[in-house]
Amino acid sequence: MRTLAFDGRMGASGDMILAALLDAGADRDVLEPVETALDLEYRIDETVKCGIASTTVDVVLTDGEDAARTEGSHGHAHDHGDPDQHDHGDDGHDHGDDDHDHGHDHGGDEGVPAEGHGPHRSYLEVREIVAEMALDDAVERDALAIFELLGEAEASVHGEDLEDIHFHEVGADDAIADVVGAVALARDLDPDRIVTTPLSTGGGTVEMSHGEYPVPSPAVVEIAERADWSLRGGPVDAELLTPTGAAILGHLADGVDALPSLELAASGYGAGGYDLDPHPNVLRTLVGDGGRELVRDDIAVLETNLDDATPEVLGGLQESLASAGARDVTVLPATMKKSRPGHLVKVICKPEDRERVARALAEETGTLGIREAGATHRWIADREFETVALEVDGESYAVSVKVASDADGEVYDVSAEYDDAARVARESALPVREVLRRAEAAVDR
């Protein structure tokens, strides 16, 4: 499985993602539809950060003027305590102290640009701009999904409806160029899977029109919750993760605890504008074929001890708890206090379903206490079902077969559904074991 991995230990911004993908070998030509539609150019250059040769990307208007790097108003790696040293990680420009004595600018009246920050566009206006570009369907679909993620995060923060939200920092041409360009470059590398390690947010505070807020910004927190991956603070008191960077990776990348094992084909480094010695202010990407790994699945494990449950109740738990969200139910014999026989019930479910499943478990069994075990995730196979046709004495019978594979698509188990096999056995007079064998053999993998 070809995997594109982002190393998030120094956060991410839109321009850093662009630069890292280009440095890893993505074709610059895929950016041309964006340049044509927005009347701008991507300026690509090289720099060195703490001894690491890296790529930078900036957006310029076709007349040579710098595009308003609106996300730079809360850009990558600002030291909000020292405006004299601000050097936008999102664009590498030093616009002077007057523009940089603040961090986030979510403010101003809706639809009215804050001074020096370019246009504020509504979510619907941004969608229209992207839809009018001459993009591949897949690129357009992913770009629109990223802006929807951004819009939902902003709407949640401000208590507004998605259709009414106005983008501030991320509504100008350069931010649109970041999002659409990043999607086009990522697709050009043709990965089967994209992952990111936990993203560093930085620390300190950032000033917005509504007040001063701690890093990470509220929009970044919302995006991380929706993407269901991890954030970590530090390693410096500066803003390392921007909303645009978070949204791009939030849609494209699965969260992983550590970089996967890869047979490397390419790597790239995208630089932010600010120097953070001794930390290299770069986003690293790795491209390669991954090892045979199972898929990480976050779970909750619920347990309860029962000493008075009837066989009928225990027998029906699998079905009743499954309707509440349980993924698996196990009932084990146990010896209770005073040597009385009982049962241990263990239930696996998704974290977001645990309260509903616990309530169902309590109502079905009458238990007075349910505990949550320590497991937080499991490793599972990718599972799909195939239906095979078995010919027996001129009759055709359908049997469903479960195919289990790892994250690389490598099949390691084939298992026919027992209920289907039992039905065929009854109708054909074949032994169940023979039906199972024939059905599993019929799956050509």
Side-chain angles (χ1 to χ4, degrees):
M1 174 179 284
R2 186 173 176 84
T3 298
L4 169 61
F6 288 89
D7 185 347
R9 69 189 68 195
M10 290 303 294
S13 60
D15 61 313
M16 294 178 75
I17 295 172
L18 289 171
L21 293 171
L22 286 165
D23 203 41
D27 187 356
R28 190 239 185 276
D29 290 345
V30 302
L31 300 175
E32 290 181 359
V34 186
E35 294 175 311
T36 301
L38 297 179
D39 197 23
L40 51 77
E41 295 178 359
Y42 293 92
R43 184 173 66 195
I44 303 168
D45 209 341
E46 297 179 353
T47 189
V48 176
K49 295 291 183 181
C50 293
I52 296 178
S54 312
T55 295
T56 64
V57 175
D58 202 2
V59 176
V60 296
L61 303 178
T62 52
D63 62 5
E65 294 294 326
D66 292 338
R69 175 57 75 171
T70 53
E71 194 195 4
S73 65
H74 60 236
H76 188 79
H78 290 187
D79 182 352
H80 298 284
D82 188 357
D84 290 339
Q85 297 183 19
H86 283 192
D87 180 8
H88 280 243
D90 265 3
D91 63 4
H93 300 332
D94 182 1
H95 295 278
D97 296 348
D98 291 343
D99 290 337
H100 298 318
D101 56 358
H102 63 278
H104 290 255
D105 179 11
H106 286 269
D109 295 332
E110 284 193 349
V112 180
E115 184 177 353
H117 290 287
H120 292 182
R121 292 192 175 103
S122 72
Y123 164 71
L124 296 179
E125 288 173 328
V126 172
R127 285 187 61 91
E128 183 176 349
I129 291 171
V130 173
E132 290 176 350
M133 295 181 182
L135 301 173
D136 291 341
D137 290 343
V139 174
E140 178 181 324
R141 184 169 57 250
D142 281 338
L144 292 175
I146 290 168
F147 277 109
E148 182 175 356
L149 179 58
L150 274 166
E152 289 175 342
E154 290 282 353
S156 178
V157 168
H158 297 298
E160 300 177 5
D161 293 331
L162 176 61
E163 292 74 15
D164 298 330
I165 198 69
H166 278 74
F167 291 123
H168 301 146
E169 295 85 359
V170 296
D173 289 349
D174 67 305
I176 297 174
D178 284 347
V179 170
V180 181
V183 172
L185 292 171
R187 285 201 166 270
D188 182 68
L189 292 174
D190 196 27
D192 298 306
R193 186 188 186 202
I194 303 176
V195 300
T196 180
T197 62
L199 291 158
S200 295
T201 63
T205 59
V206 62
E207 186 178 327
M208 297 185 267
S209 63
H210 302 294
E212 190 173 85
Y213 290 83
V215 172
S217 70
V220 167
V221 172
E222 283 289 332
I223 291 167
E225 290 180 1
R226 295 168 188 272
D228 195 26
W229 39 239
S230 301
L231 299 177
R232 61 185 181 192
V236 295
D237 278 345
E239 185 186 40
L240 300 184
L241 180 60
T242 67
T244 298
I248 292 170
L249 296 182
H251 173 69
L252 295 180
D254 296 325
V256 294
D257 289 335
L259 290 172
S261 300
L262 297 175
E263 296 180 8
L264 281 180
S267 63
Y269 295 88
Y274 197 60
D275 291 328
L276 297 173
D277 295 347
H279 304 282
N281 186 15
V282 296
L283 173 65
R284 179 170 63 170
T285 58
L286 304 172
V287 183
D289 293 326
R292 297 180 179 178
E293 300 171 351
L294 296 179
V295 178
R296 175 177 167 139
D297 182 35
D298 292 333
I299 60 166
V301 179
L302 306 178
E303 295 181 347
T304 189
N305 289 47
L306 304 174
D307 61 4
D308 58 354
T310 66
E312 292 81 4
V313 168
L314 294 175
L317 279 181
Q318 186 72 250
E319 182 176 352
S320 58
L321 296 182
S323 64
R327 300 301 178 92
D328 195 17
V329 179
T330 302
V331 180
L332 302 173
T335 301
M336 312 288 287
K337 60 184 178 181
K338 299 182 180 179
S339 299
R340 292 182 298 194
H343 296 88
L344 169 63
V345 179
K346 299 172 71 74
V347 184
I348 295 175
C349 62
K350 297 295 289 182
E352 60 267 25
D353 295 330
R354 57 190 166 195
E355 292 186 9
R356 184 167 60 253
V357 172
R359 176 62 180 264
L361 179 58
E363 291 177 344
E364 291 291 335
T365 66
T367 183
L368 301 180
I370 299 169
R371 58 190 175 271
E372 185 171 356
T376 59
H377 64 269
R378 61 180 176 174
W379 301 103
I380 63 172
D382 282 332
R383 284 161 285 186
E384 60 181 279
F385 289 86
E386 294 188 10
T387 299
V388 300
L390 299 186
E391 298 292 334
V392 182
D393 296 332
E395 295 289 334
S396 180
Y397 301 92
V399 178
S400 181
V401 180
K402 180 165 58 180
V403 181
S405 60
D406 60 24
D408 291 329
E410 187 74 19
V411 173
Y412 68 86
D413 185 64
V414 175
S415 177
E417 289 294 285
Y418 182 84
D419 288 346
D420 284 0
R423 171 181 51 79
V424 173
R426 290 193 300 270
E427 296 175 2
S428 68
L430 283 177
V432 172
R433 291 178 59 190
E434 177 63 14
V435 176
L436 292 170
R437 185 192 67 78
R438 293 189 186 186
E440 292 165 0
V443 176
D444 182 10
R445 288 300 178 114

